[in-house]
Amino acid sequence: MKAISILSISALAVIVAGFLKAKQSALATGKRYSWKENIVTTVFWIGERPAGNNPVPNRVSSWDKNWTRSYGGFDDPNPAHRRNYIPVNFTPRQNPFYCALPYNDKAATGHRPEAPRVVPWFTEAYRGPGVSTCKDRWVAIRKRNRTAYAQWEDAGPFRTDYWQYVFGNERPKPNLNKGAGLDVSPAVRDYLGLNETDVTDWRFVEFSEVPRGPWSTSRLHPQIAKPF
């Protein structure tokens, strides 16, 4: 009996230790990236032509020279031409929930010199000098009591070097779009009910934190839907 009791106590101790470790890990994950609040947010889309306060065409991205082709076409922002968060005339080959932040970790060759130091996940995400460690990273975007999950697919608005804001504690600098620090896709706009210029909160999230939603529909992008 004594041996069984000791064994049971040992097993219980292992279970409790495992539970505490898992709880600590979950808490650490939740605290790893804090919310950036009250960020002016604007809408952009794949295939957007330069005009007004948007001097750069969005048929290419900082990480994809054939972004429109890779996506499958023009991500028409007109609500009358969209249904279920996607354009009515084609099914995107990539996640329609995408966003842009004003930092690009890539340089002409390799990565920016500060990238290994400022990108929190650089070491774990590194896949060689030709691959961005920021592309496809998940971002939670919140408006009131509703949260969308999008993938980081371009650098902007306006700047591509502002790591002090993206990964640090600085606020977005003044720019032509009222100090915008985040660009979101029409799908994010529609899910959150945003105006063309609005204010949201955002933070980076781990893939394990992303819940099932329209951003994880296998019909649209099976490569990211399988783990759900």
Side-chain angles (χ1 to χ4, degrees), residues 132-182:
S132 169
T133 63
C134 296
K135 185 181 185 300
D136 297 331
R137 198 74 190 184
W138 283 93
V139 177
I141 303 166
R142 179 176 68 188
K143 180 68 176 180
R144 290 185 287 272
N145 62 346
R146 197 164 171 83
T147 303
Y149 293 82
Q151 286 181 282
W152 187 3
E153 299 296 341
D154 198 9
F158 299 104
R159 297 183 61 170
T160 62
D161 61 348
Y162 198 14
W163 62 265
Q164 295 91 338
Y165 154 64
V166 176
F167 303 115
N169 296 319
E170 289 193 15
R171 297 288 298 177
K173 300 288 188 184
N175 56 45
L176 293 175
N177 283 340
K178 301 180 180 179
L182 173 67

Side-chain angles (χ1 to χ4, degrees), residues 103 105 110-123 126 133:
Y103 183 74
D105 62 329
H111 294 81
R112 290 182 186 271
E114 78 282 352
R117 175 173 55 87
V118 303
V119 179
W121 55 79
F122 187 90
T123 300
Y126 185 76
T133 63

